[in-house]
């Protein structure tokens, strides 16, 4: 059996192996599996191949683990850039053909430290393993360090001038020469000055930083002052211009390396105004693009996979964008008996998580004793009353609200304090709001409820319930056929004796419970939801 995470991983493969081309380069997502691998090594290889075939930019981590000796890895040659880290571990092949990898950005690091980690690449009981790093174009690691250890047969890694590659000189560098390096490794070609990735003439390490004139503040293409690369270049360059870079430190705007992509608004110094920029581009990884790729949304001026939690997705002029939500973001959820909860009978401990952050319930909310107290027969535990607070975000229920059970000692329905509308599009015996035989509830506290669009209200035998009689239910109804069937609750005279009455700041329209925030309308003024005696400008 494979653990569930691998099965999930497989589903992802099917969906994600769509190499995107909108930046002019083919971009693919990386992985986040660390050392966990599939037990089927054939699948492990095929998965790797599917992920990276024809991929030039890995937006994420490149993880090459548990690959057998004689696999054809030449597809890795297409990769030029990795935004996260590169992990090469537990493999048995002898050559790593990442020949065109130019830059590792290290936006994520392995073990929080390494942008490049290469270890345990040999067969324990065999005489083979990784011999050569084919990283001959690697000239830049923007963030993070390098870890190379326990590669029994690896040659030349200890000849590499890693500080020339690593940007941050404080990053951790741990390159342990293999026991092999003194004995059977061939020396670097004599043209390499002792630094190489392999023994051949074309495998010399090309230095682009430590050989520069002092005046260069980054990399260079020769030793003279006139050989400095443009400051936006990463990894090196062919010449001094921003279009001569091997790779870009920040963004690639159609071949030129820039600090930021053309912004949506530009300042016009003659009119002193921000003006719309027709040449604006969005940032997409390290690229500037005119249009975000399919399945990406625009957040401010970037392409993102999904809007952040305080924003919602809208479509404007055929562009999907994230805009800030006023208050909390709308989220529509299935109610009991609808969609994903089609077969559910009641809200219970097994489904309550599905109501997190929901503002609109498409369907009904039903609370039965099997939900509140649990259902031993179906192995469902009691509901933690605290969890009912998930309903505090609900503003609309399109169907009905049916409460036939409620946690012991919970004296109100205040978790519905933001409920504005009960739609009554589906009814329960003609009823859209039902509260039956609840011994603990003394106040409804539906402080936001403004409309019951269809169906009747049925509220009986709630022995402690007060305040219900102060509410003009007709004013909440939408049609003239709706009725309020309210009986056998606590006697209003008893309520008055017990001071279960509306706050004096409420108008005669009534209230949902004690306190000045439960009024249907105010006698004097309201501040936010609360009724106040006088308006004070300084308190709002
Ligand atoms: C490896 O695969 C590539 C295509 O990805 C192919 O061109 C090449 O001939 C293969 N090499 C071997 C040794 O099978
Ligand atoms: C890799 O380096 C070789 C020279 O060593 C160069 O011809 C080739 O263009 C480089 N590849 C990339 C992607 O920069
Ligand atoms: C390398 O040699 C040392 C000492 O000779 C030994 O302890 C270590 O296990 C060897 N490492 C490998 C990977 O064979
Ligand atoms: C910038 O992107 C273009 C494709 O849009 C690519 O051909 C070019 O090599 C990239 N330049 C750098 C410096 O990464
Ligand atoms: C609910 O919203 C919060 C805050 O907006 C967010 O952090 C959280 O991930 C959301 N949870 C779910 C399940 O949507
Ligand atoms: C309800 O309150 C009573 C009296 O305070 C207490 O004995 C009982 O355990 C409470 N029940 C729950 C479910 O908290
Ligand atoms: C409500 O209570 C009354 C009297 O206490 C009882 O006759 C009636 O059957 C109860 N109704 C329901 C629906 O339980
Ligand atoms: C209740 O509200 C309805 C409609 O808003 C109104 O016609 C009726 O007079 C109100 N009843 C009382 C007792 O205020």
């Amino acid at each position: 059996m494979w653990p569930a995470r691998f099965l999930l991983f497989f589903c992802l493969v099917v969906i994600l192996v769509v190499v995107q081309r909108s930046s002019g380069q083919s971009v693919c997502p990386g992985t986040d599996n660390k050392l966990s691998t599939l037990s089927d090594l054939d699948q492990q290889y095929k998965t790797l191949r599917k992920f990276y075939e024809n991929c030039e930019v890995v937006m994420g981590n490149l993880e090459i683990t548990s690959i057998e000796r004689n696999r054809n890895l030449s597809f890795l040659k297409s990769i030029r850039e990795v935004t996260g880290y590169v992990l090469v571990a537990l493999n048995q092949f002898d050559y790593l053909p990442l020949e065109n990898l130019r830059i590792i950005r290290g936006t994520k690091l392995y073990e929080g430290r390494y942008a490049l980690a290469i270890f345990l690449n040999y067969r324990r009981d065999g005489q083979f393993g990784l011999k050569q790093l084919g990283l001959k174009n690697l000239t830049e690691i923007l963030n993070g360090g390098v870890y190379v250890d326990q590669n029994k047969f690896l040659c030349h890694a200890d000849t590499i001038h890693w500080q020339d590659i690593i940007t941050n000189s404080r990053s951790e560098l741990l390159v342990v020469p293999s026991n092999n390096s003194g004995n059977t490794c061939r020396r670097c070609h004599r043209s390499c000055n002792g630094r190489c990735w392999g023994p051949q003439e074309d495998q010399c390490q090309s230095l682009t930083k430590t050989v520069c004139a002092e005046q260069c503040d980054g990399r260079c293409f020769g030793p003279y002052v006139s050989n400095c690369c443009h400051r936006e270049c990463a990894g090196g360059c062919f010449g001094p211009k921003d279009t001569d870079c091997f790779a870009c430190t920040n963004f690639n705007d159609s071949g030129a390396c820039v600090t930021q992509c053309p912004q949506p608004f530009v300042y016009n110094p003659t009119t002193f105004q921000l003006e719309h920029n027709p040449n604006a581009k969005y940032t997409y990884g390290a690229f500037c693009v005119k249009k975000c790729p399919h399945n990406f949304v625009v957040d401010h001026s970037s392409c993102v996979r999904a809007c952040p939690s305080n924003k919602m997705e809208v479509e404007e002029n055929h562009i999907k964008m994230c805009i800030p939500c006023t208050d909390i973001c709308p989220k529509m959820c299935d109610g009991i008996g609808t969609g994903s909860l089609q077969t559910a009978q009641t809200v219970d401990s097994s489904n309550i998580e599905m109501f997190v952050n929901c503002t609109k319930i498409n369907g009904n909310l039903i609370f039965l004793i099997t939900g509140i107290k649990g259902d031993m027969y179906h192995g469902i535990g009691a509901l933690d009353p605290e969890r009912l607070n998930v309903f505090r975000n609900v503003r609309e229920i399109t169907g009905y609200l049916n409460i036939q059970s409620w946690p012991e000692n919970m004296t109100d329905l205040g978790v519905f304090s933001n409920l504005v509308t009960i739609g009554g599009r589906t009814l329960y015996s003609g009823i859209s709001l039902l509260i039956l035989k609840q011994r603990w509830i003394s106040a409804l506290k539906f402080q936001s409820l403004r409309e019951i669009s269809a169906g009747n209200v049925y509220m009986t035998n709630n022995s402690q319930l007060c305040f219900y009689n102060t509410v003009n239910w007709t004013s909440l109804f939408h049609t003239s056929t709706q009725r309020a069937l309210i009986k056998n609750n606590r006697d209003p005279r008893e309520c008055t004796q017990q001071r279960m009455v509306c706050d004096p700041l409420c108008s005669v329209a009534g209230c949902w419970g004690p306190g000045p925030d439960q009024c249907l309308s105010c006698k004097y003024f309201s501040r936010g939801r609360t009724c106040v005696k006088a308006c004070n400008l300084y308190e709002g």
Side-chain angles (χ1 to χ4, degrees), residues 395-431:
R395 287 146 194 236
E396 182 180 354
I397 298 171
T398 66
Y400 58 82
L401 174 60
N402 175 345
I403 297 177
Q404 298 191 45
S405 182
W406 203 241
E408 244 176 72
N409 298 351
M410 219 166 143
T411 57
D412 60 58
L413 301 175
V415 299
F416 293 109
S417 62
N418 283 304
L419 179 63
V420 179
T421 309
I422 297 176
R425 279 187 229 162
T426 51
L427 298 173
Y428 175 79
S429 311
I431 299 163

Side-chain angles (χ1 to χ4, degrees), residues 20-78:
Q20 307 258 15
R21 278 221 73 104
S22 61
S23 53
Q25 304 230 357
S26 50
V27 169
C28 59
T31 55
D32 212 347
N33 300 325
K34 311 243 160 46
L35 296 181
S36 58
T37 51
L38 302 172
S39 53
D40 180 343
L41 293 181
D42 201 40
Q43 268 314 329
Q44 178 79 8
Y45 169 74
K46 284 183 180 151
T47 306
L48 187 75
R49 185 168 182 142
K50 260 194 190 161
F51 249 84
Y52 299 111
E53 205 156 35
N54 299 320
C55 176
E56 293 173 68
V57 179
V58 180
M59 291 251 190
N61 312 316
L62 172 59
E63 297 175 316
I64 304 169
T65 56
S66 298
I67 300 294
E68 292 161 300
R69 187 180 187 182
N70 291 317
R71 297 292 187 181
N72 183 350
L73 291 171
S74 63
F75 62 90
L76 291 174
K77 288 183 188 169
S78 63

Side-chain angles (χ1 to χ4, degrees), residues 376-401:
M376 295 251 280
Y377 184 74
H378 290 104
I380 290 169
L383 191 58
D384 175 4
E386 195 50 38
R387 295 306 298 140
L388 290 169
N389 284 312
V390 298
F391 294 110
R392 286 203 185 267
N393 293 323
V394 173
R395 287 146 194 236
E396 182 180 354
I397 298 171
T398 66
Y400 58 82
L401 174 60

